[in-house]
Amino acid sequence: MSQSIAFEVTLSAPYDKAIEKTTDALKTEGFGILTRIDVKQTLKEKINADFRPYAILGACNPPLAHRALSHDGHVGLMLPCNVTVEAKDDKTSIVRIGDPDAFLKVGEFANDPVLQGVAKEARERLARAADALKRA
């Protein structure tokens, strides 16, 4: 069985509240939100397509990012950690937190013990954030 690329949580919360809860859970684990892409708005503006409320959050833990980037500049291609929040319906949202451990099993990163250590720590922190959301 293959490893999932994300931690997925279904929240009994509307979209805006889910973004707030997700941001708070990530903050508790040392991650800030660097970027927020409103996919619904972007698709409407660019191609006039209607889409459900959906955001891509770019999360970053500065000490982990610094360690990884100081070791190998190519890691920037994998940063920030992506988190998606989407409305399932008016009262339910789905949060997916990318698993850095899964992404760093690619190419030259796969055999680098320093980067694997950073990915492991990031994965543990993001897993705790996902677990906190499950309890929210």
Side-chain angles (χ1 to χ4, degrees):
M1 186 161 106
S2 65
Q3 176 179 343
S4 174
I5 62 167
F7 304 102
E8 184 173 313
V9 180
T10 300
L11 293 178
S12 296
Y15 174 74
D16 289 332
K17 187 68 174 172
I19 290 177
E20 183 181 312
K21 286 182 174 193
T22 301
T23 300
D24 289 346
L26 290 166
K27 185 177 181 180
T28 298
E29 291 299 330
F31 290 85
I33 303 301
L34 298 177
T35 59
R36 178 177 172 178
I37 300 168
D38 183 332
V39 174
K40 178 181 179 169
Q41 178 184 345
T42 300
L43 291 176
K44 189 65 172 175
E45 289 174 3
K46 301 295 182 186
I47 61 172
N48 198 31
D50 292 321
F51 199 74
R52 66 192 171 280
Y54 190 110
I56 301 171
L57 307 176
C60 180
N61 179 298
L64 293 178
H66 181 256
R67 274 184 20 217
L69 290 168
S70 294
H71 178 71
D72 187 337
H74 289 97
V75 173
L77 297 169
M78 303 292 202
L79 297 177
C81 297
N82 282 323
V83 177
T84 63
V85 180
E86 67 179 286
K88 185 174 180 182
D89 56 43
D90 289 342
K91 297 179 183 177
T92 310
S93 301
I94 300 169
V95 176
R96 292 182 189 91
I97 301 173
D99 182 348
D101 193 44
F103 293 114
L104 284 179
K105 297 257 186 257
V106 180
E108 64 192 66
F109 301 134
N111 298 316
D112 187 316
V114 172
L115 296 180
Q116 290 304 314
V118 173
K120 181 178 186 267
E121 184 176 343
R123 182 183 201 285
E124 290 168 353
R125 290 172 177 269
L126 292 168
R128 284 193 301 262
D131 287 343
L133 286 171
K134 290 176 186 175
R135 295 187 307 271

